[in-house]
Amino acid sequence: VSSHTDALDRRYRHHYRGARSDLRGQGFLGFPRHYVVSEANRAVREIQFDQTRLDGDAGYAFALLPMREVDYVPLEGGRFLAEETVNQHQVSWLSSTHYTVHLGSRVTRSYDLPRRPPGGCSGDYCQDIDLEGQDALRELHLSLQYDPLGVLRRRTLSAGQLVLSQVEIEPID
């Protein structure tokens, strides 16, 4: 547990769970769970990282990239507002020895919950926030497509089957 105060004099506590290391040479992979708790309103941000997925010669390329983020904020009357973001990252090989890792897709769901969801932080103990079975108010999908060199070529934002925006990015000559 550690804490910090931001420029607006707001205090936050940080909790970390499950430090991981690779004994085959990649070293410290980070923590699979990081929780940030606002001292002012007890809002919690849970960040999950994937330190188990190996991608061939790229090793643990996704270990330090957020896989899932959940923010939940207590509201008046015991209700909670929650927003969950699930990221899918991918590796693009530039040559036989060089690669880049980028975001392939992101799904963001918003929830208005009648009570505190299971999980979160109590004192110095934190556990994963469980939104399983909850109905989302809103769900947005972001899809990114890249060329073989890992350069972004298309960005699509949709809500269900409705495409809200699609941008084609042309190469610069």
Side-chain angles (χ1 to χ4, degrees):
V1 177
S2 66
S3 64
H4 81 275
T5 303
D6 68 12
L8 299 175
D9 206 32
R10 295 176 297 201
R11 189 169 169 79
Y12 299 90
R13 287 183 299 125
H14 295 262
H15 303 264
Y16 301 89
R17 252 187 35 209
R20 298 226 12 180
S21 292
D22 175 43
L23 301 177
R24 294 168 288 180
Q26 214 166 336
F28 183 63
L29 300 174
F31 295 90
R33 301 290 188 274
H34 176 197
Y35 304 89
V36 182
V37 182
S38 167
E39 298 269 333
N41 66 358
R42 309 298 297 158
V44 175
R45 168 172 267 200
E46 172 193 329
I47 308 164
Q48 295 180 8
F49 301 89
D50 184 359
Q51 283 117 4
T52 60
R53 189 169 97 178
L54 281 167
D55 192 285
D57 291 336
Y60 296 98
F62 313 102
L64 300 176
L65 300 172
M67 174 179 69
R68 178 179 182 251
E69 299 174 64
V70 179
D71 292 293
Y72 76 87
V73 179
L75 303 174
E76 290 183 21
R79 299 185 71 79
F80 283 82
L81 179 65
E83 184 163 284
E84 174 185 44
T85 301
V86 178
N87 298 312
Q88 291 289 325
H89 296 94
Q90 57 193 49
V91 171
S92 290
W93 285 92
L94 307 176
S95 69
S96 61
T97 57
H98 294 85
Y99 64 90
T100 183
V101 179
H102 47 262
L103 180 65
S105 67
R106 169 178 289 153
V107 177
T108 304
R109 296 177 188 93
S110 298
Y111 302 89
D112 180 4
L113 305 172
R115 62 187 170 284
R116 180 181 171 158
C121 297
S122 176
D124 288 338
Y125 176 73
C126 293
Q127 63 185 34
D128 295 349
I129 298 165
D130 183 9
L131 295 170
E132 189 72 33
Q134 301 291 336
D135 292 325
L137 293 174
R138 172 183 72 125
E139 182 170 307
L140 296 175
H141 295 258
L142 174 66
S143 174
L144 304 169
Q145 295 175 340
Y146 301 83
D147 70 13
L149 294 177
V151 177
L152 181 62
R153 292 297 178 215
R154 178 182 293 151
R155 177 193 163 280
T156 306
L157 180 65
S158 60
Q161 298 298 316
L162 177 64
V163 174
L164 302 173
S165 72
Q166 187 168 49
V167 178
E168 301 282 338
I169 302 162
E170 297 297 323
I172 299 173
D173 294 328

